[in-house]
Structures are given as C-alpha cells and as structure tokens.
Amino acid sequence: MGIETYYRRPRLLVQLREGPLGNYIDLFADRLQHEGHCQQGAWRNLHVVCDFSHWLARKHIAAYDVDEQTVSSYLPFRRRQLRPSVFEGPALMRMLALLREIEASPPAQPTPSRFADLVEQDFVHHLQQDHGLARVSVIRHLPVIRMFLREKRIDSTRSLSKLTARDVVDFIELHVGDHSPRSAQIMCWTLRSFSRFLRYRGYVTCDLAASVPSIRRWTLSSLPTYLQPDQVQSVLDACRRDTSLGRRDYAVLLLLARLGLRSNEVTLLELADINWRAGTLTIKGKGRRRAELPLPMEVGAAVADYLEHSRPRSNSRRVFIRQLAPHRGFASSSAVYLIARMALERVGIDDVASKGPHLFRHSLATQLLRSGASLTQIGQLLRHEHPDTTRIYAKVDVSQLRTVALPWPGGVR
C-alpha cells in the first residue's frame, strides 16, 4: 500500500515522493506499518523523512551518499526552522537503516573517532562467536567496557597498546564503590575478560588480566530477601488485567512467582517453548542449558490471555514483546526487571534489599521450604547447577535451626 495507507490527498502524496528519498518512501511506510507504529507515529516519521529528502535535493545529495554525517548536518538545520523533537533523529536513522538494508546506501564506514566503537563490536563478536554467550548476556558487559574506553580516551590502536595495569586498577578503585559488592564483582569479571580479549587480539602484549583484583564475597554470608505469600499475592492482584500492558505484566509476574524463572529466561521465552497439550514449558537457562517445567494452570491461563487479547501483531517468536512500536522482543532482561520493580512499588514494598525479579525466586524457594520441600527438590525446580547454591535457603527456616542449635556456654543469664 505504501504511503496511501496513511494519506489520501494527491498533492501531499506527490510531495512525499519528491527528492532523492522519494523512490523509497513507500517502502519506508510499509516498514512503519509492519513494525506496528500508530498513525500519529507514522505521520511524524514520514514528515521528517520527507523534509529531509527535500533538503537533500537542495544540497544536491543523492540517496547513495546519505550517511550518519549527512543526518548530523541536517538536524541542526531542521531545529533552526522548526521546534525540535526527540523523534527526528530516530526517524532518520530508521530510514538510513532501511536504505542500507536494500543496498541503496553504502554500509557504515569506520572512522578514527569511532575506534572505541569498533573495539567494542569486536569484543561483542568475540564473546558471541568464540565463547558462545547469548546476546542478553553480552549486553551486561557493555556499560563497563564503554565507560572504561571513554575514561581512558581510547581513540586508536596506539592509545590502546599503552594501557597498563595501573590504568586498570585505577579504574576499579574509582568505581568499585558505585554499586553493590555483587556489581563490583561483575565489573571485575568484565574487565578480566576484556583484558584477555585485548591480548588475544594483539592490541596489548602485557597480561592486564592478572592485574584485575578479586572482589571478596563470603559464601552464605547473608540471608536471602523474600516476600511472604500474602505480599506476593498483593503484587499480583495490583496488576490491572483490563489493560493490554497489565495482562502482559501479570503473566510475567506469575512466571517469576510460581515457577521462579530468572529474568533472562522470561526474556528469551518463545512461542514454541510452550507445549499447551502436555502442559509444559521449555526454559533456556544459564549456560545454554534447557529444562522442561510443568506449566501450572494459573500461569498458563494468564499467558494464554495475554497472547489472545493483548499481544501486538508481530513476526517475533518471543512470547513477550514491546507494547510500543516496533513490536519485537525485549532487548534485554532489564525490561523484566522494570516490570518487577514497578509492581513492587505499586503496593509499597520498600523494606527489601533488592526490588527485582530474583526477589520472587527467593520467595518461592522460601515458601517451598516452609511447606516441607527438601533442598534437593527446590534446587531441581530452580535449576541450580550445584547443591551449594540452594543451601542458603536452609537459613530462613529459623524454627528448624533452633532444634540443632547448641546451648550457650554457661547457660542464659
């Protein structure tokens, strides 16, 4: 259908098809409809691309010469003429991506100023191809790497080769207190992996990984934070199941609360992973391990309700997708974290160490333990690779711990 999907006035149709991008505007309109943009969103995208095409014509720039630099040159001009808006840049980059996809514009060319981006892309490829990490796992490493490359002003192979152990240690000392000890530990893991990558690729010759310290965290040193069953139910009841977003969030929270899924496992869940006839769910867990879990009736009904009445039309095979266009699967597990956090804040649960998806996992394990389940059974449900991981839940059953506690020397005074 092209732009006729959104417009009927002949004069406006002619204007939209003018300029170097006029030959591709119908394809762009079809892409917007395919991605699920609303009519107003599509209008905004088409208008800014139309104005950009007219600007290209006045500058005598062909479609094949359009790149990021061209977009950067146009945006200040548009903002001087019109009121600036946040959608302009993304709309033009969406059009540029389409041009490159159909080979109407050359691929992005690396420049010296983007050297850090190239190193980051090489590292991502290394993690995915050489180490087999999933995309959602790779994303967790990127914020630390970007901050490290930016603060060390890495803009060439020469500056990268000058990195020393002192640079790595200084970075860690500066940021080790930014977040929790667990986050600091993950930061060190990332830097250690990145240092090995730099030596493997030949960017550096010294062993920077040996300079990355280990963050000490004592095993079983703390109690797991958990919710009482009535608190979990209050979080579920607070979801508005009369809205599309509420049905999606309710299904996500039930998977967290009733099956103890990790945020990554919810993010990667696909339509083919649900066996409705057998009532089972196939989970893609850590280390690319797969496990089959029973699908409780309550959870299955919530997921089916979301798929039937609230899930936007999309070619994505993910169960849970973005409510706003473009309709595709969550980019990372952060979306599941935000769903859990907002649900807890809605009912005023603040006295917990971490307001995230893992809180529901701890709550399920604690409830099962108090209901008489063994640690072995809990470990199997939560898909723990090592029994020691489940041992932390033994400390929450205080009544049973009292029966094995030794008397205080000398008696109670």
Side-chain angles (χ1 to χ4, degrees):
M1 285 292 293
I3 55 178
E4 281 82 359
T5 305
Y6 302 103
Y7 300 100
R8 291 290 183 270
R9 293 168 53 192
R11 184 178 178 182
L12 186 55
L13 295 175
V14 172
Q15 289 179 349
L16 287 168
R17 291 192 173 103
E18 291 175 344
L21 302 182
N23 294 331
Y24 311 102
I25 197 71
D26 288 296
L27 189 59
F28 184 61
D30 291 338
R31 175 64 59 88
L32 294 175
Q33 185 182 24
H34 177 74
E35 291 182 350
H37 291 265
C38 65
Q39 191 170 42
Q40 277 190 327
W43 285 346
R44 288 195 295 262
N45 277 266
L46 290 169
H47 274 295
V48 69
V49 170
C50 175
D51 189 61
F52 181 49
S53 183
H54 292 168
W55 180 84
L56 291 174
R58 292 193 296 271
K59 296 290 185 179
H60 305 288
I61 300 175
Y64 191 79
D65 297 324
V66 175
D67 56 13
E68 288 83 0
Q69 185 61 40
T70 314
V71 173
S72 300
S73 301
Y74 163 74
L75 287 175
F77 165 80
R78 178 177 174 83
R79 289 164 185 169
R80 286 195 301 268
Q81 305 297 320
L82 302 170
R83 185 177 178 181
S85 180
V86 296
F87 69 85
E88 296 168 350
L92 295 177
M93 296 308 296
R94 190 176 289 116
M95 183 65 187
L96 179 58
L98 174 62
L99 292 175
R100 285 175 172 163
E101 184 178 324
I102 62 176
E103 298 183 354
S105 184
Q109 297 297 320
T111 60
S113 61
R114 297 181 61 239
F115 177 77
D117 296 337
L118 297 178
V119 174
E120 176 190 315
Q121 293 170 14
D122 193 14
F123 182 56
V124 169
H125 183 269
H126 171 71
L127 293 178
Q128 291 179 327
Q129 300 299 321
D130 299 342
H131 289 274
L133 267 64
R135 183 174 180 273
V136 291
S137 300
V138 173
I139 288 175
R140 296 179 178 178
H141 293 281
L142 298 185
V144 174
I145 299 304
R146 288 169 182 166
M147 184 165 56
F148 179 76
L149 294 174
R150 183 179 66 251
E151 292 186 7
K152 299 306 174 183
R153 300 180 181 179
I154 302 301
D155 56 4
S156 65
T157 305
R158 182 178 180 183
S159 61
L160 194 58
S161 64
K162 291 182 178 180
L163 285 176
T164 64
R166 186 71 258 172
D167 294 324
V168 177
V169 173
D170 288 344
F171 178 84
I172 294 173
E173 290 178 347
L174 180 63
H175 295 287
V176 71
D178 291 352
H179 303 288
S180 65
R182 174 63 175 172
S183 298
Q185 192 176 55
I186 294 175
M187 178 183 67
C188 289
W189 289 348
T190 298
L191 289 174
R192 196 174 293 114
S193 177
F194 184 62
S195 299
R196 294 189 182 114
F197 157 77
L198 292 178
R199 192 176 185 187
Y200 172 70
R201 285 286 195 262
Y203 289 114
V204 298
T205 56
C206 56
D207 185 13
L208 296 179
S211 64
V212 180
S214 298
I215 304 298
R216 185 67 64 186
R217 293 180 70 247
W218 303 108
T219 305
L220 306 178
S221 61
S222 60
L223 287 172
T225 306
Y226 60 91
L227 301 175
Q228 297 295 340
D230 58 333
Q231 290 179 302
V232 174
Q233 191 60 45
S234 67
V235 173
L236 297 173
D237 293 340
C239 290
R240 293 189 55 185
R241 280 177 275 171
D242 57 341
T243 66
S244 298
L245 199 61
R247 293 189 190 98
R248 185 198 68 184
D249 293 353
Y250 180 69
V252 169
L253 292 172
L254 271 179
L255 287 169
L256 298 174
R258 300 295 187 247
L259 293 176
L261 299 190
R262 302 179 179 93
S263 55
N264 273 359
E265 294 167 347
V266 176
T267 301
L268 297 176
L269 192 63
E270 296 187 353
L271 297 173
D273 294 331
I274 306 176
N275 189 332
W276 296 103
R277 292 184 180 276
T280 59
L281 197 64
T282 302
I283 302 300
K284 303 180 186 71
K286 284 185 175 180
R288 299 183 181 269
R289 293 188 297 272
R290 302 175 72 92
E292 192 173 90
L293 297 179
L295 182 64
M297 184 178 297
E298 179 188 17
V299 180
V303 174
D305 186 34
Y306 163 69
L307 294 176
E308 186 177 358
H309 300 109
S310 301
R311 186 179 185 270
R313 295 182 62 181
S314 172
N315 289 337
S316 173
R317 303 306 297 168
R318 296 276 183 87
V319 172
F320 300 105
I321 62 177
R322 288 163 42 96
Q323 199 66 22
L324 299 177
H327 300 307
R328 56 192 178 207
F330 298 151
S332 70
S333 58
S334 298
V336 178
Y337 173 84
L338 290 175
I339 290 174
R341 184 180 182 88
M342 292 174 64
L344 292 167
E345 290 178 349
R346 271 198 299 268
V347 295
I349 295 179
D350 296 317
D351 55 342
V352 290
S354 175
K355 292 188 287 187
H358 238 65
L359 179 63
F360 294 93
R361 187 174 171 87
H362 290 323
S363 303
L364 175 63
T366 304
Q367 182 180 353
L368 291 174
L369 182 65
R370 291 180 171 176
S371 300
S374 65
L375 290 178
T376 301
Q377 293 171 328
I378 295 173
Q380 290 174 346
L381 175 64
L382 300 184
R383 301 168 308 287
H384 288 157
E385 185 176 2
H386 301 291
D388 289 349
T389 311
T390 319
R391 278 171 36 204
I392 190 173
Y393 297 108
K395 300 196 297 184
V396 301
D397 197 348
V398 180
S399 60
Q400 290 295 324
L401 289 176
R402 287 197 181 102
T403 62
V404 298
L406 296 175
W408 188 263
V412 179
R413 293 183 181 179

